[in-house]
Amino acid sequence: MKEKFDILEYNREAWNKYSEEGISPWVIPISSDELKKAREGDVRIFLTPTKIVPKKWFPPLKGCKVLCLASGGGQQAPLLSAAGADVTTFDNSDRQLQADIDTCRVYGLPLNAERGDMRDLSRFASGSFDLIIHPVSNLFIDDVRIVWKEAYRVLRKGGRMLAGFNNPIIYLFNGIKMERGELEVAHILPYSPFNEDAKQ
């Protein structure tokens, strides 16, 4: 009998390794200059690797109850805390979560930190948050609808969720060759690296 794949543990170990080795832009904590700007109201957050979230997308941040969902790494949570938000960071990776904790500690910022699965927000009451920040993390689970249902439940009425996405077209290609600028179709869509039928 084939053993069921544990996607949660796989992702936790992978992100702990990325964080330890510093091999992703999502594991590099903010600079003191970025933090200073956030304290002055100039919050520059990324949900995807290249575009800053427009300021008009944020509600007023002073006192705003924010859930940074699967977004550890010393970036979004410290910036929002510096802007005066009441921030809870929630991540599956011990090291990514610790990066948020350490960055906030260095700059004297308050932070609530919890480790867990983005698909299970049962520890939070309905309507707990005004804003959810969710960078490109939803691609690491098998069914994003579970996350959306949980996020909807914990958001207050009229709350906002800002989420980042990859364009699914990238999963058609051989990832290693694509990094070299070569586009070789290697998979079918929808793609999962754990689905043997996904290979062409």
Side-chain angles (χ1 to χ4, degrees):
M1 184 173 171
K2 191 175 180 181
E3 188 177 334
K4 188 174 180 199
F5 178 74
D6 187 343
I7 196 167
L8 188 68
E9 186 60 20
Y10 175 87
N11 284 323
R12 189 183 71 78
E13 289 178 7
W15 278 101
N16 282 346
K17 183 177 180 183
Y18 295 157
S19 188
E20 183 180 343
E21 296 176 359
I23 58 174
S24 164
W26 298 106
V27 304
I28 300 165
I30 57 166
S31 68
S32 58
D33 186 52
E34 290 172 289
L35 186 97
K36 181 176 181 290
K37 287 177 181 171
R39 281 190 164 132
E40 294 166 354
D42 185 10
V43 179
R44 297 181 184 191
I45 286 179
F46 291 87
L47 294 175
T48 60
T50 58
K51 291 191 177 179
I52 295 171
V53 173
K55 289 185 175 101
K56 65 184 177 184
W57 289 9
F58 293 109
L61 291 174
K62 294 272 186 208
C64 182
K65 293 194 173 295
V66 178
L67 175 63
C68 288
L69 181 59
S71 69
Q75 299 174 7
Q76 295 90 2
L79 288 170
L80 290 161
S81 183
D86 177 2
V87 180
T88 297
T89 183
F90 188 82
D91 202 283
N92 180 38
S93 163
D94 313 278
R95 289 187 179 272
Q96 287 291 89
L97 199 59
Q98 193 62 48
D100 277 351
I101 294 166
D102 292 345
T103 303
C104 284
R105 187 177 295 135
V106 164
Y107 295 115
L109 299 168
L111 180 72
N112 307 306
E114 307 235 5
R115 188 171 82 78
D117 182 350
M118 71 176 105
R119 298 168 296 182
D120 179 8
L121 304 180
S122 59
R123 69 187 77 184
F124 303 118
S126 297
S128 294
F129 300 100
D130 303 305
L131 173 65
I132 295 177
I133 296 291
H134 184 57
V136 183
S137 306
N138 43 62
L139 61 103
F140 296 107
I141 54 166
D142 50 354
D143 187 351
V144 74
R145 292 170 296 187
I146 299 167
V147 177
W148 296 155
K149 286 178 184 174
E150 281 288 271
Y152 179 78
R153 183 186 64 77
V154 301
L155 269 176
R156 68 164 175 79
K157 188 175 181 181
R160 301 178 190 187
M161 179 172 180
L162 305 180
F165 300 89
N166 275 345
N167 186 329
I169 196 77
I170 68 170
Y171 299 110
L172 274 175
F173 306 109
N174 176 307
I176 294 168
K177 290 186 177 181
M178 190 168 65
E179 286 181 11
R180 295 192 306 244
E182 301 170 33
L183 297 180
E184 176 187 292
V185 174
H187 310 286
I188 62 171
L189 295 179
Y191 170 75
S192 168
F194 311 111
N195 179 357
E196 289 300 317
D197 297 332
K199 295 186 179 177
Q200 199 180 42

